[in-house]
Amino acid sequence: PVARTRWRIAFGSIRVEPVYMVWGQVSAVAARMAVDAGVPVQQVDVLALRRELAANPLADGSTPEVLVDDGDSARVRIAGEWTRRSPEGKFGLTALAHEGSGTGEVRFLPEIARDGMYQVYLYWPRGTALATRVPVVIRHAAGSDTVIVNQREPEALQGGLQPGIASWVELGEYRFRRGEDAYVAVRGLGKDLVYADAVLFVAARGGR
């Protein structure tokens, strides 16, 4: 009975449609690679398959999104006193929090694979004690810009996708180049609570 229950739980989590779609795409790409290489699908180079899926996730040649989460130690630089918390509405496992005296900065460093225009989105868990004027610096190909973000009311910025709850909020559209210094920096002011959680870069259509 225990084994049967575990099987049902596992099946219940994988039978939803998005997982089916992912399986279908992976299977199709693997089958094409097997045909091209003239080998059984079991002998397809798994690392090569993963690289292709990462480079072309939509299978249409479009530029993939670039996500940087606070838990990615290779792509996040922390200055000042930030604590790792697990608030409701966080993205991923944790969010970095700055509160109290002093200042600080969390710098998200994207790995830009293709030159072009990108829409930049910021994510944080909402809370009534959050700061209302948080400086967010975007370093891009033409220099840098600072956007003042109201973290207490994320829907106040144009681009808030789900008013009233934590959501991706658009900071603007900027040009980025592969290999150049680029980042999004969330700054703590040493007073109200500030969250630094995740940043997303989405290639703009026709913006190369």
Side-chain angles (χ1 to χ4, degrees), residues 152-183:
R152 195 172 301 177
E153 297 290 344
E155 69 273 20
L157 281 178
Q158 183 179 2
L161 304 182
Q162 301 176 41
I165 64 174
S167 64
W168 291 105
V169 174
E170 185 176 1
L171 301 178
E173 187 172 298
Y174 306 91
R175 179 171 294 278
F176 295 91
R177 296 192 182 96
R178 179 180 180 181
E180 288 190 349
D181 183 31
Y183 60 79

Side-chain angles (χ1 to χ4, degrees), residues 86-98:
S86 189
E88 183 179 1
K90 65 187 181 300
F91 184 91
L93 298 177
T94 61
L96 290 168
H98 187 278

Side-chain angles (χ1 to χ4, degrees), residues 77-132:
R77 298 290 180 270
I78 303 171
E81 296 186 6
W82 294 77
T83 58
R84 201 168 293 281
R85 300 183 184 178
S86 189
E88 183 179 1
K90 65 187 181 300
F91 184 91
L93 298 177
T94 61
L96 290 168
H98 187 278
E99 188 175 25
S101 61
T103 59
E105 178 183 274
V106 175
R107 188 170 291 191
F108 297 86
L109 310 171
E111 185 175 6
I112 300 297
R114 301 180 188 176
D115 298 356
M117 298 293 296
Y118 289 79
Q119 294 166 318
V120 180
Y121 294 86
L122 183 68
Y123 185 99
W124 66 90
R126 188 182 181 189
T128 57
L130 290 171
T132 59

